[in-house]
Each structure stands twice: as C-alpha cells, then as structure tokens.
Amino acid sequence: MPVYEYICRKCGHSFEQVERISEHGTKKVRCPKCKSQKVEQLLSLGFVKTSKKS
Ligand SMILES: [Zn+2]
C-alpha cells in the first residue's frame, strides 16, 4: 500500500500515513499530534516496504 507523507501546518509535525489508493483524498487527514486538519501532503514516499528479498 502506498505511504503518504504529511506535514502539519499548525504544529509542524510531519508524519506518514498508509492509505489505500481508493481512500486517498477521500478522507480527512488529521495531525496525530494536535489533531489539526491543517495538514499538507508532501511528495509521496512510494510504497510500504515489504519483506521481499532483493
Ligand atoms: Zn499538528
């Protein structure tokens, strides 16, 4: 599943959130620290690392 990175505009806390692609953009993201919804999405990091061996 893709991981999205957000930064809170209120407290400056940055956090990552795993969302289904179908969920992304449909639900409000809240800062886990101050519960503000004033969060901004940063560039997506890509996908959750799995245990696949390279
Ligand atoms: Zn915050």
Side-chain angles (χ1 to χ4, degrees), residues 8 11 13 31 33-34:
C8 175
C11 73
H13 181 63
C31 171
K33 196 170 180 181
C34 70

Side-chain angles (χ1 to χ4, degrees), residues 4-48:
Y4 299 93
E5 187 171 13
Y6 295 89
I7 186 164
C8 175
R9 284 296 171 201
K10 193 172 178 185
C11 73
H13 181 63
S14 61
F15 57 99
E16 295 167 8
Q17 182 152 305
V18 179
E19 296 173 12
R20 294 174 194 276
I21 290 173
S22 60
E23 280 180 344
H24 181 61
T26 64
K27 63 176 183 178
K28 295 288 185 183
V29 178
R30 283 172 180 261
C31 171
K33 196 170 180 181
C34 70
K35 312 299 185 199
S36 172
Q37 290 186 350
K38 286 189 175 180
V39 298
E40 183 170 305
Q41 190 189 339
L42 302 179
L43 294 176
S44 62
L45 297 177
F47 285 76
V48 176

